[in-house]
Amino acid sequence: RALLKKSGTTFEWIDLNAIIGEVVGLMNSNAVDRNVMVVTDPDPNLPLVRGDRIQLQQVVLNLMLNAFEAMDAQPRAERRILIRTVLKEVLIAVAVIDTGSGVAADEIEKIFNPYHTSKPQGMGMGLSICRSIVLRHQGRLWVENNAEGGATFYFTLPAA
């Protein structure tokens, strides 16, 4: 409900691993319905981040939903998402790795533009909003295709 409630940005010290766990739990039935195995690989020594809990949940939720959709055409046995966190110097990096079809080379940067979508029913706002949220948190959001197929969406946030 808090994701849908309109409110201002509230920065507090939060555990990013806990946020990811909450969203994975929230998305469990969706993953089961789509036959997607979701695995998390949290860095146990992750420091806190200063951020808005609801907005960061929204980022993780949107990246998961996009990964689900990217894997719709994959055989059921090959649908996997790995969400990994790691501390890299003064940044916390989050990777949402899927086994979907990847992102066309000419779409790599365009997909973050408002109203740009590759989905028939898409509005083209999700990734744009995610990037705005991450930037508001002094981080960065980008995508890379995986050598073995699929794509990885990364975002970084400053560690406490």
Side-chain angles (χ1 to χ4, degrees), residues 63-84:
L63 295 178
M64 284 185 71
L65 285 171
N66 286 349
F68 286 166
E69 291 175 10
M71 293 185 291
D72 278 344
Q74 297 298 100
R76 291 173 185 243
E78 296 177 20
R79 298 177 188 176
R80 290 182 306 283
I81 296 174
L82 170 62
I83 305 174
R84 176 178 289 145

Side-chain angles (χ1 to χ4, degrees), residues 70-71 74 97-103 143-152:
M71 293 185 291
Q74 297 298 100
I97 306 160
D98 70 53
T99 58
S101 55
V103 179
V143 63
E144 295 176 4
N145 283 314
N146 305 327
E148 65 281 358
T152 301

Side-chain angles (χ1 to χ4, degrees), residues 37-110:
M37 180 184 4
V38 179
V39 177
T40 58
D41 181 18
D43 181 335
N45 301 312
L46 219 55
L48 299 176
V49 297
R50 187 142 174 82
D52 185 293
R53 170 178 292 282
I54 303 305
Q55 290 181 4
L56 293 175
Q57 286 175 332
Q58 186 176 0
V59 170
V60 175
L61 178 78
N62 188 274
L63 295 178
M64 284 185 71
L65 285 171
N66 286 349
F68 286 166
E69 291 175 10
M71 293 185 291
D72 278 344
Q74 297 298 100
R76 291 173 185 243
E78 296 177 20
R79 298 177 188 176
R80 290 182 306 283
I81 296 174
L82 170 62
I83 305 174
R84 176 178 289 145
T85 58
V86 65
L87 179 62
K88 293 187 174 196
E89 298 177 21
V90 297
L91 295 175
I92 294 174
V94 178
V96 179
I97 306 160
D98 70 53
T99 58
S101 55
V103 179
D106 63 333
E107 296 283 309
I108 293 281
E109 271 307 309
K110 290 179 191 174

Side-chain angles (χ1 to χ4, degrees), residues 118-136:
S118 58
K119 302 175 199 170
Q121 304 300 322
M123 291 180 13
M125 293 303 294
L127 288 173
S128 174
I129 291 169
C130 287
R131 185 172 260 181
S132 295
I133 290 170
V134 171
L135 286 171
R136 191 175 309 125

Side-chain angles (χ1 to χ4, degrees), residues 22-32 38 60-61 64-65 68:
E22 291 165 4
V23 174
V24 168
L26 179 69
M27 297 300 294
N28 185 57
S29 62
N30 197 324
V32 170
V38 179
V60 175
L61 178 78
M64 284 185 71
L65 285 171
F68 286 166

